[in-house]
Amino acid sequence: MKTIVCAALCFCTLIISGQEFNQEVVLENGKKFMVGKINQKGLESEPYADWFKPGYESYMVDEQMTRMFKKNLGKHDIKLFLGTWCGDSKREVPRILKILEKSGFSKKQLEIVALDRRKEYYKKSPTGEEKAWNIIKVPTIIFLKDGKEVNRIVESPIESLEEDMAQILLGKPYLPNYAHLDKSK
């Protein structure tokens, strides 16, 4: 009996963790975008590398600012919602990921979800990760502590990514863009 229960648990774990990363949708015009859970490796592949790599490599992280929040950053999990088709995501996501890397943030604490651009699925993912988070603009970076949302940066920072992250992670007052539209706060 123990063997059957153990085998069933292993099977369920494989199914749950087996969601394919970096799924692509190809439109009739040949344009591609990713949907669902993705990772940096997917962003570094073509055609996304055309915008990801230059944005990542050219961004100069404010290391003085990151030192201020580095210790607190590790106490948080992050959910990052983006559109690989979205201009704001193409600008901010390489910067966000470089800041996290330079800060020594564990990729195990980061979940990246790409949302759809097609009209009937607009800003949705195949498995609905966005539903509980009231995503109105992309990119949205959500900071969580003990499973609860602390705050978020929506679409673009107010000051700079590093300054906004410092305010959030150091517990200072921070009101993100579009907060008036966010019904979850």
Side-chain angles (χ1 to χ4, degrees), residues 100-149:
L100 293 177
E101 181 185 305
K102 288 281 189 185
S103 300
F105 188 72
S106 171
K107 290 184 180 184
K108 292 178 184 176
Q109 294 171 256
L110 174 65
E111 179 181 34
I112 308 173
V113 180
L115 302 181
D116 208 315
R117 75 177 287 177
R118 295 172 291 178
K119 187 176 181 179
E120 63 272 25
Y121 305 111
Y122 192 60
K123 292 189 185 164
K124 293 181 180 172
S125 66
T127 50
E129 290 92 352
E130 78 292 342
K131 288 179 184 171
W133 301 103
N134 192 34
I135 303 302
I136 53 175
K137 299 281 185 183
V138 288
T140 295
I141 182 171
I142 302 174
F143 298 86
L144 302 142
K145 192 167 186 180
D146 301 322
K148 294 187 186 330
E149 181 175 343

Side-chain angles (χ1 to χ4, degrees), residues 7-110:
L9 285 173
C10 288
F11 181 71
C12 288
T13 302
L14 280 173
I15 290 174
I16 290 169
S17 63
Q19 180 189 346
E20 188 178 326
F21 274 77
N22 305 320
Q23 294 178 52
E24 281 189 318
V25 171
V26 181
L27 299 175
E28 290 147 10
N29 64 6
K31 293 198 178 213
K32 298 178 181 180
F33 60 91
M34 287 192 276
V35 293
K37 290 185 180 182
I38 68 170
N39 55 31
Q40 188 166 330
K41 190 172 186 172
L43 293 170
E44 292 170 346
S45 68
E46 292 300 331
Y48 317 102
D50 291 344
W51 56 265
F52 182 81
K53 284 186 178 181
Y56 187 89
E57 291 168 1
S58 68
Y59 188 66
M60 301 300 291
V61 175
D62 183 341
E63 294 188 38
Q64 181 179 355
M65 188 64 70
T66 59
R67 279 192 292 278
M68 291 174 54
F69 64 73
K70 182 178 180 176
K71 189 169 135 184
N72 287 356
L73 179 62
K75 298 174 186 174
H76 291 76
D77 291 316
I78 292 176
K79 288 190 182 290
L80 173 58
F81 293 91
L82 68 116
T84 58
W85 42 266
C86 165
D88 294 319
S89 293
K90 290 177 179 183
R91 180 188 64 244
E92 300 298 340
V93 169
R95 296 172 179 181
I96 292 165
L97 293 179
K98 188 162 185 180
I99 291 167
L100 293 177
E101 181 185 305
K102 288 281 189 185
S103 300
F105 188 72
S106 171
K107 290 184 180 184
K108 292 178 184 176
Q109 294 171 256
L110 174 65

